[in-house]
Amino acid sequence: LPDALATLAEALVIDFDFIDLAHSLARSTVTALDAAAAGVMVVDRSGELQVVAASDEDTHVLEVFELQRHQGPCYDSWMTGAAISASVLTQQSSWPDFSQRARQLGYASACAVPLRFRENALGALNVFWGSHHDVTAADLQAAQVLANLAAVGLAQQAAPVNPRDLAEEVESAIHGRIAIEQAKGMLAVQAGITVE
């Protein structure tokens, strides 16, 4: 956890792009919580969640699936503003489609914590484990600390802090990355390699 915090804090003291910070958050969370994967979702200008970062492509696909179905730990964490955990995804009947898809991708356990700044729900952080993992209070606390640090970074980009301004900045950053993601996909297909 100290290394993950140091990485995120270092990103905040220089001129940074929130998308890069979100990717750093996903990678740092995987390392700090000894997890298989992590993803970050943030609210856009229209008030909808958007996937802004994932530790790998499978997780990105799962996060998009979660948004399409409006079910899963990250979505629920954002809606409720509370930490959500599922130590065994197979028994999580409130997210049947999400749980099935997560298991297909090799994830057995998950948790999510909100990205919040003051009273604003800015998004959520999802964490996944590849084998059964009893999600502890310490896991949730560590994930929340990392998410809070990222939320401060997001809020730092817009002053004074206004949820609409934050959403506009995030949306602009997301659209700025679309061409890069499309190019990655095209190159992967042409070269016969994975996007990773």
Side-chain angles (χ1 to χ4, degrees), residues 64-135:
V64 171
F65 182 83
E66 182 175 1
L67 290 180
Q68 290 171 340
R69 294 288 195 269
H70 292 221
Q71 62 170 255
C74 205
Y75 188 81
D76 283 1
S77 181
W78 170 65
M79 290 293 291
T80 64
I84 304 288
S85 65
S87 293
V88 182
L89 282 171
T90 57
Q91 295 176 352
Q92 190 53 259
S93 60
S94 59
W95 314 314
D97 297 337
F98 173 82
S99 295
Q100 179 181 3
R101 183 63 179 245
R103 289 192 315 271
Q104 288 171 349
L105 293 172
Y107 303 131
S109 301
C111 76
V113 295
L115 268 74
R116 57 182 178 233
F117 186 76
R118 298 180 183 146
E119 300 303 317
N120 300 316
L122 307 178
L125 166 67
N126 244 346
V127 186
F128 301 98
W129 288 270
S131 57
H132 174 74
H133 179 82
D134 287 322
V135 180

Side-chain angles (χ1 to χ4, degrees), residues 1 5 29 32-33 113 125 137-148:
L1 185 59
L5 288 171
T29 299
L33 296 178
V113 295
L125 166 67
D139 291 332
L140 294 174
Q141 184 179 29
Q144 190 64 68
V145 167
L146 293 168
N148 288 348

Side-chain angles (χ1 to χ4, degrees), residues 3 19 42 48 79 89-90 96 130 140 163 168 186 191-192:
D3 290 343
I19 302 297
V42 177
E48 296 293 321
M79 290 293 291
L89 282 171
T90 57
L140 294 174
E168 287 176 5
M186 292 173 60

Side-chain angles (χ1 to χ4, degrees), residues 174-189:
I174 290 169
H175 290 303
R177 292 292 178 114
I178 289 174
I180 293 171
E181 294 303 318
Q182 289 175 339
K184 283 171 46 180
M186 292 173 60
L187 290 172
V189 168

